[in-house]
């Protein structure tokens, strides 16, 4: 399923989250053919969701207090308690599967996309379109090429990774105001790991972020996080054509100081990239 975190999360919250996901997956696998016949009409163009499913799904969504104008819906099945599981498409927002009972789970199609029973409606199959909107909402100028679920944080909020055309990559975290972004190099400095962005791409993005000529004489080929202090964030920089150095960035992410490795033995565990 790929729903595990790449960094520590609260055990109880993560177990509850995973339990809801597996509930949806199990029911989807067990939905009977009789239900599918009842909830779909047949035309020469193929099976289309019945209008009654859309109306019933909108009612379930409204009762659950979820913000979604249902554009399309289908019934994925019913569980042993008789609760109906709807898949809904919301147009501009990512769709989801909702269990129609009080307090029933709502699972994003972006979560289900990596499992064996992904969402089936056309509006829910274009995950990249939704990842692009989420990145834009987080203030990221990124042409999204891929995305994946990372997991949830300690508060149970969803975290996704997006890979961009070019060297950039980010984790997108859901919050009360929408989405926030953390670049992959910062993710690595905090103990996480990006899978859609390589360390070489992180180094390239780091050089681009600092700007041309910021590290005079250094063609950046590798970057290693070294830690943080009240003075800022420290990164060891491996140079292709010069001695390695340590870049100290201020809290705003601007280059504040370039420190030769010979004077950086007390910063973190010192320089470790190559022999320079």
């Amino acid at each position: 399923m790929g729903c595990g975190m790449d960094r520590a999360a609260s055990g109880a919250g993560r177990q509850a989250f995973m339990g809801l996901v597996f509930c949806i997956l199990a029911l989807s696998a067990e939905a009977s053919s009789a239900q599918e016949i009842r909830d779909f009409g047949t035309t020469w163009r193929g099976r289309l969701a019945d209008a009654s499913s859309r109306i019933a799904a909108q009612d379930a969504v409204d009762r659950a207090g979820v913000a979604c104008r249902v554009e399309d819906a289908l019934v994925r099945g019913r569980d042993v308690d008789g609760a109906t599981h709807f898949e809904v498409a919301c147009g501009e927002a990512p769709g989801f599967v909702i269990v129609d009972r009080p307090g029933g789970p709502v699972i994003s199609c972006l979560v289900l996309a990596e499992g064996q029973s992904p969402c089936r409606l056309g509006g829910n199959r274009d995950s990249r379109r939704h990842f692009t909107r989420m990145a834009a909402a987080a203030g990221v100028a990124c042409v999204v090429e891929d995305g994946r679920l990372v997991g949830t944080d300690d508060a149970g909020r969803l975290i996704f990774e997006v890979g961009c055309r070019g060297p950039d990559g980010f984790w997108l975290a859901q919050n009360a105001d929408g989405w926030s972004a953390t670049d992959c190099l910062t993710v690595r400095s905090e103990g996480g790991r990006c899978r859609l962005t390589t360390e070489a791409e992180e180094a390239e993005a780091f050089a681009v972020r600092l700007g041309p000529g910021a590290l005079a004489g250094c063609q950046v080929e590798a970057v290693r996080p070294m830690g943080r202090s009240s003075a800022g964030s420290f990164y060891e920089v491996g140079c292709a054509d010069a001695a390695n150095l340590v870049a100290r960035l201020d809290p705003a992410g601007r280059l504040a100081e370039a420190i030769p490795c010979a004077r950086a033995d007390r910063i973190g565990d010192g320089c470790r990239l190559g022999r320079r």
Side-chain angles (χ1 to χ4, degrees), residues 192-222:
R193 181 166 65 96
C194 285
R195 295 181 182 175
L196 304 179
T197 301
T198 67
E199 291 188 9
E201 288 173 328
E202 290 175 11
E204 183 181 349
F206 182 80
V208 171
R209 185 173 69 183
L210 292 185
L215 296 173
C218 174
Q219 180 182 338
V220 179
E221 65 176 4

Side-chain angles (χ1 to χ4, degrees), residues 151-169:
T152 58
D153 63 13
D154 291 342
R157 296 170 297 194
L158 291 172
I159 297 176
F160 296 93
E161 179 188 349
V162 293
C164 305
R165 183 180 302 166
D168 297 306

Side-chain angles (χ1 to χ4, degrees), residues 137-189:
V140 171
C142 167
V143 179
V144 175
E145 292 190 325
D146 202 358
R148 72 177 185 96
L149 172 70
V150 176
T152 58
D153 63 13
D154 291 342
R157 296 170 297 194
L158 291 172
I159 297 176
F160 296 93
E161 179 188 349
V162 293
C164 305
R165 183 180 302 166
D168 297 306
F170 300 88
W171 275 14
L172 304 177
Q174 190 179 38
N175 53 53
D177 300 321
W179 296 90
S180 60
T182 305
D183 66 89
C184 282
L185 187 58
T186 300
V187 167
R188 183 152 58 99
S189 74

Side-chain angles (χ1 to χ4, degrees), residues 61 66-72 88-96 123-124 130:
V61 166
V66 179
C68 169
R69 181 175 59 82
V70 177
E71 292 192 349
D72 203 356
V88 301
C90 302
E92 297 304 306
F96 51 84
N124 292 335
H130 295 303

